[in-house]
Amino acid sequence: MADGTKAVVDTSTADAAADEAALAAAIDELGSGDTAPADSADASSTNAPGNSSAASAEAKASGKAKAESTAEPDSGDDEEVGDEEGPTPGTAVSEETSEITAPLSVHEIAAELAAGSPRKKPAPAPQPASEKRRPTDPQPTVDPRDTATLPRTLPAPMRHSGDKIGHRYLLEECISQTETFSSWRAVDEKLRRAVGVHLMASGHQRARKVLAAAKSAALLGDPRFVQVLDAVQENELVYVVREWLPHASDLAKLLADGPMEPHEAYQMVRQVADAVAAAHRRGKAHLRLTPRCVLRTDSGQYRINGIAVDAALRGLPAEDSTEDAQRTDTRAIGALLFAALTHRWPYPEDRYDLKGLPKDLQNAAPDQVRAGVHKGLSELAARALFDHPPHHAEPITTPEELVRAIAKLPRIRQPEPELPAFPTPPRHNTHALPTAPNPTRVADPAVAPLPASSRPTAARRTKRRLRRVVKATAWTVALGAIGVASWQFVGSLRNNNQAVATPQTSISSTAASARPTAHPPVPIQIKEAFSYNPRGDSPESLWLLPKVFDGDPNTAWVTKSYNDPFGPKPPFKDGTGLLIDLGSVQAVSSVSVQFAGTHTAELRVPNAQAAAKPQDAQPEAFNVLDKQTGSTTDFTLSSPTNTRYLLIWMTSLPKDTSGGGYRGQVNEVKVFG
C-alpha cells in the first residue's frame, strides 16, 4: 500500500495459504532480480509513483540509500564516474532509495505478477546489514574520508578572459589548463595589482584538500615563498589567489641557454634550502618542488611558488610521516641542483625542456655527467638526490641537514667581470702607416710602398708603447712628489706662524681646540641588528637580519610588502626601521647604507631615556642626525657622536616590481668612527 504497511486480507484458510505461497514465490523471484541493471530500476521507479513518496520518507529515516548505491554493480571506472553518469550523485541516491525501501502488500505483488512486469523491485528478504553492504569495488570511486559522494574527476570550470571571480578578480590570460583545474593571470580590481588564480570545481574530491593546503600556506608568512592571498569556495567554484611576480623567471627558463655558473648555482641551492628548511620547522612541506616553482627576481632573490598547493591541485598524496615529506623535498632540491650544474634532468624521461639521463648514467654524480662541474656542488647534489650516493658518501635526507652541508662548503665567489678591450689610441705621427689595412681605403697606385726595412715591426711598436708608459709613470711620480713637498712646506710655514704669533683671546683658542682633527675613518664592527617596527604588529624578516652586515651586497634584509606608501598621519604608517647594535658605546662619524631602489631614510640615535631599551621606545625618543634619499646613502656627521645604538628609520619605500605594493630592502650597512 502507499503508506508502506501490508494490507490485511479477510479470506478463508485456503485462500490465505495460497496467498502466502504466492507471496513467498514472488519474493524469491524478485529477489533474484536484485542484480538487474540500474536502468531497469529507474524505469520501474517512473511507473510506480505511488510508492516514491513513502519510499523517500522511509529513506530519510533509515539512511539505506548509501549502502545500496555502493553495492550497485557496473559502477564505472575510477576516474570517469563523475563524467559518465548522467544524474548527479544526490539524485541517483534518492531515486534508488525509493525503489529499495518501500514494502509491498500481497495485492500489489499479485498485481505485479499478473502484469508480468519484472521492473519493480520490492524490499528483499531480511538479511544482516553486513550482507547488504557487501563491497563490489576494491578501489571505491569516492574517498570515504571526504564526503563519500564527490567524484574523483570533474572537469575544470569553463571561464574566459574578461570573466570576474568573486566580484573582484578579473581574469585576463589562461596560463595553463588541465582536466581538473586551470591557472590564470588576473587583476585584483580592489587593490589594482596583478595576481595569479587557480580555478577548480567545488564538487571535485580534491577541492577540500586544495582549500586546506592554501589556507595552511597563507599562514606561513615567509617572503621567500610566493604568498597565498585568498582561498574561497563560492557556489560551484573553488579559487585560490596568489602573488604574481611579473618580472621573475623560473628555473626552467634560466636553464634554457645552458647550465649555471657555480656561483649562481650555489646561490640558488642555498636560498631554496634555507626557505624549505624554515618551512619544515613550521610543519609545512612543498611536496612538488620543480624548476617551474623556483623563481628568480630582478634583485637576484629566489622565491618558491606553490608550497603545499601544487601537490594538492594535482592530487599527489600527502606523505605519511614527517620524515617522508622531508626526504621528498630534499630529493627535489638535489634534482634542481643537478639540473643547474649539468643542464640535464636526473631521471630517464625528458622534463622541463631538459633531456633525461641514459640508463648507464643513473645514480651518477653531476661531475660524471658533464666535465668542469664544481666538485663540492656535485657531491652535494648527489648526496641530496640519491639514497645511495657514489663513493659511499652519506646521503642527505632532510632540508636542515642540507643547509648545514651547504654552510660547510668553501664560499664560492662571483667571477670577476671581464674588462672591455680598450682601443689603441690614435697615433700623432701622420707619416706612419696604419697598423691594419683599412678596407674602405683605396690604394693610390702612384704612391710607391715603403720598403720592408722602413716599416714598423711589432717589436718596434711594443718598445714605443713601453717608452710611453715609462714616461707617463715618471711624470705621475714627479707631480705627486711635488704636490707632497708643497703640502709639507705649507704646513711647516703654518706651524711656524702659529708659534711666533701672539696668543689669541680665549674665545679664539677655544674655537681652534674645538676644531676636529681630520683622520681617516675607521670601520666599527656591528654586533647585531634588530627589526624596529613600533607601528606594526610584529618584527619583519628576523631570519634575514644578519644579511645587513655580512659583507655581501648580494644578500639583503627586506620589509613586508605594504599596499600604501608611508604617510605622516593615520591611517597611513609613518615608517619602519632597522636598529643597529654596536655592542658598546662608540664614537660614530659616518654611516653608509646600501639600499635596493630609492629610499628615504633618517639616521637617529636614542636619547638618554631610550638608551637603556631602544627596542621598546617610540620613534619620538630618537634624535634625528641626518636625512638622505637614494639607493646608496652616506650619513656624515659634523662631529662624532658617542652611542651604542643607531636607528635607520625609513620613511619612504620604493615600489615592489615583483609583486606590487611597496617593500624596503637593505643590502649592507657599514659604520665608521
Side-chain angles (χ1 to χ4, degrees):
M1 296 180 67
D3 59 355
T5 60
K6 293 185 179 180
V8 178
V9 183
D10 187 10
T11 60
S12 62
T13 305
D15 293 337
D19 289 340
E20 291 179 1
L23 175 62
I27 291 175
D28 293 338
E29 181 178 354
L30 293 178
S32 63
D34 287 342
T35 57
D39 55 351
S40 65
D42 295 337
S44 66
S45 65
T46 58
N47 292 336
N51 292 332
S52 60
S53 61
S56 301
E58 186 172 353
K60 294 178 181 178
S62 62
K64 296 181 181 179
K66 187 186 300 183
E68 185 65 22
S69 61
T70 305
E72 183 92 16
D74 299 330
S75 58
D77 185 68
D78 278 336
E79 299 297 328
E80 303 296 335
V81 171
D83 297 335
E84 293 180 0
E85 292 183 358
T88 61
T91 305
V93 169
S94 63
E95 290 177 355
E96 186 67 17
T97 302
S98 66
E99 297 173 10
I100 67 174
T101 60
L104 302 179
S105 66
V106 175
H107 295 294
E108 291 171 335
I109 295 176
E112 290 291 335
L113 293 176
S117 174
R119 294 176 296 176
K120 197 67 176 181
K121 291 203 298 183
Q127 53 182 337
S130 59
E131 295 184 6
K132 291 183 180 181
R133 296 180 177 268
R134 188 183 309 120
T136 59
D137 189 357
Q139 296 180 349
T141 58
V142 294
D143 188 353
R145 293 173 295 178
D146 287 339
T147 63
T149 58
L150 300 180
R152 288 198 175 202
T153 58
L154 199 63
M158 292 300 296
R159 291 295 184 272
H160 305 281
S161 298
D163 292 351
K164 190 176 292 186
I165 304 299
H167 306 288
R168 176 174 177 178
Y169 304 106
L170 182 65
L171 302 182
E172 287 193 342
E173 181 185 1
C174 184
I175 305 302
S176 63
Q177 176 86 30
T178 67
E179 294 181 355
T180 56
F181 72 93
S182 59
S183 300
W184 292 77
R185 176 176 57 83
V187 174
D188 184 351
E189 294 187 334
K190 184 177 181 180
L191 299 179
R192 297 180 181 179
R193 62 180 179 182
V195 294
V197 179
H198 299 302
L199 301 180
M200 173 178 279
S202 60
H204 198 286
Q205 273 195 357
R206 301 179 193 169
R208 182 173 297 180
K209 295 180 180 179
V210 169
L211 286 174
K215 293 177 181 179
S216 174
L219 297 176
L220 189 58
D222 192 332
R224 293 172 291 187
F225 293 91
V226 176
Q227 302 296 304
V228 175
L229 306 176
D230 206 353
V232 179
Q233 178 175 349
E234 186 178 79
N235 299 328
E236 80 285 356
L237 191 65
V238 166
Y239 59 90
V240 177
V241 183
R242 65 170 180 86
E243 275 187 286
W244 183 262
L245 307 179
H247 302 294
S249 301
D250 59 51
L251 186 58
K253 184 177 180 180
L254 297 175
L255 296 178
D257 297 332
M260 285 183 169
E261 293 293 332
H263 175 267
E264 187 63 33
Y266 168 78
Q267 291 292 334
M268 182 274 297
V269 71
R270 182 179 63 83
Q271 295 184 34
V272 171
D274 284 343
V276 174
H280 276 274
R281 284 194 293 268
R282 300 185 59 179
K284 307 293 189 301
H286 194 290
L287 302 179
R288 194 180 180 273
L289 194 57
T290 67
R292 302 289 186 194
C293 299
V294 179
L295 309 176
R296 187 179 69 180
T297 62
D298 291 341
S299 61
Q301 302 294 320
Y302 284 88
R303 302 186 66 184
I304 301 174
N305 184 27
I307 180 169
V309 177
D310 273 14
L313 284 171
R314 288 162 176 82
L316 298 181
E319 299 296 341
D320 296 333
S321 63
T322 304
E323 291 77 10
D324 294 339
Q326 290 181 342
R327 185 67 186 106
T328 298
D329 283 350
T330 306
R331 186 181 292 110
I333 298 174
L336 296 179
L337 180 58
F338 191 104
L341 296 174
T342 64
H343 197 238
R344 300 288 294 270
W345 189 238
Y347 297 103
E349 64 275 4
D350 298 344
R351 297 291 300 276
Y352 312 108
D353 299 329
L354 299 173
K355 291 185 177 181
L357 290 179
K359 293 183 179 180
D360 55 346
L361 289 179
Q362 297 299 317
N363 293 339
D367 56 356
Q368 296 175 339
V369 176
R370 176 177 170 267
V373 175
H374 188 275
K375 187 70 175 177
L377 293 177
S378 174
E379 181 182 353
L380 189 72
R383 293 178 59 195
L385 179 60
F386 303 127
D387 293 332
H388 303 285
H391 311 299
H392 304 286
E394 187 71 20
I396 299 175
T397 58
T398 66
E400 199 69 41
E401 293 179 6
L402 184 58
V403 170
R404 290 195 294 266
I406 294 174
K408 294 179 181 179
L409 284 177
R411 188 169 184 177
I412 304 174
R413 299 190 176 275
Q414 188 173 3
E416 295 293 335
E418 296 182 0
L419 296 177
F422 293 100
T424 304
R427 299 184 178 184
H428 299 286
N429 186 4
T430 57
H431 298 286
L433 292 177
T435 57
N438 190 352
T440 61
R441 187 174 181 179
V442 180
D444 189 358
V447 180
L450 294 176
S453 59
S454 63
R455 297 177 185 175
T457 61
R460 293 180 183 177
R461 289 194 296 268
T462 303
K463 291 181 179 179
R464 290 177 183 176
R465 293 175 183 173
L466 184 60
R467 282 197 295 269
R468 289 174 184 170
V469 172
V470 172
K471 289 180 181 179
T473 304
W475 276 108
T476 303
V477 172
L479 291 175
I482 293 173
V484 171
S486 301
W487 179 75
Q488 292 179 348
F489 178 71
V490 171
S492 62
L493 289 178
R494 184 179 300 173
N495 294 334
N496 293 334
N497 292 335
Q498 291 179 356
V500 175
T502 304
Q504 301 294 325
T505 62
S506 61
I507 299 176
S508 300
S509 60
T510 303
S513 61
R515 185 182 300 115
T517 303
H519 60 83
V522 178
I524 299 177
Q525 185 175 3
I526 298 175
K527 180 182 179 182
E528 196 172 359
F530 303 94
S531 172
Y532 182 76
N533 189 23
R535 310 301 194 202
D537 53 356
S538 62
E540 300 179 288
S541 304
L542 295 177
W543 57 91
L544 295 178
L545 288 170
K547 307 295 184 183
V548 301
F549 56 93
D550 61 351
D552 186 1
N554 295 322
T555 60
W557 170 80
V558 296
T559 67
K560 297 179 181 178
S561 180
Y562 297 95
N563 296 329
D564 301 303
F566 290 158
K569 297 181 180 180
F572 298 104
K573 187 176 180 179
D574 59 349
T576 187
L578 190 65
L579 188 63
I580 303 299
D581 183 8
L582 302 178
S584 61
V585 177
Q586 302 284 343
V588 179
S589 60
S590 64
V591 178
S592 176
V593 183
Q594 182 177 350
F595 297 103
T598 302
H599 293 60
T600 299
E602 298 174 353
L603 179 64
R604 300 187 178 192
V605 295
N607 56 25
Q609 291 78 13
K613 292 184 178 181
Q615 298 94 327
D616 302 332
Q618 293 298 316
E620 293 77 12
F622 290 79
N623 300 324
V624 180
L625 301 182
D626 195 5
K627 183 176 182 179
Q628 298 286 341
T629 299
S631 59
T632 301
T633 58
D634 294 323
F635 300 99
T636 303
L637 308 182
S638 58
S639 61
T641 300
N642 295 323
T643 183
R644 174 180 175 178
Y645 297 97
L646 298 169
L647 175 61
I648 301 170
W649 182 248
M650 292 172 284
T651 59
S652 177
L653 304 180
K655 289 281 290 184
D656 186 5
T657 58
S658 61
Y662 299 84
R663 188 190 296 270
Q665 179 172 326
V666 181
N667 290 8
E668 200 69 25
V669 177
K670 296 181 179 179
V671 182
F672 300 94

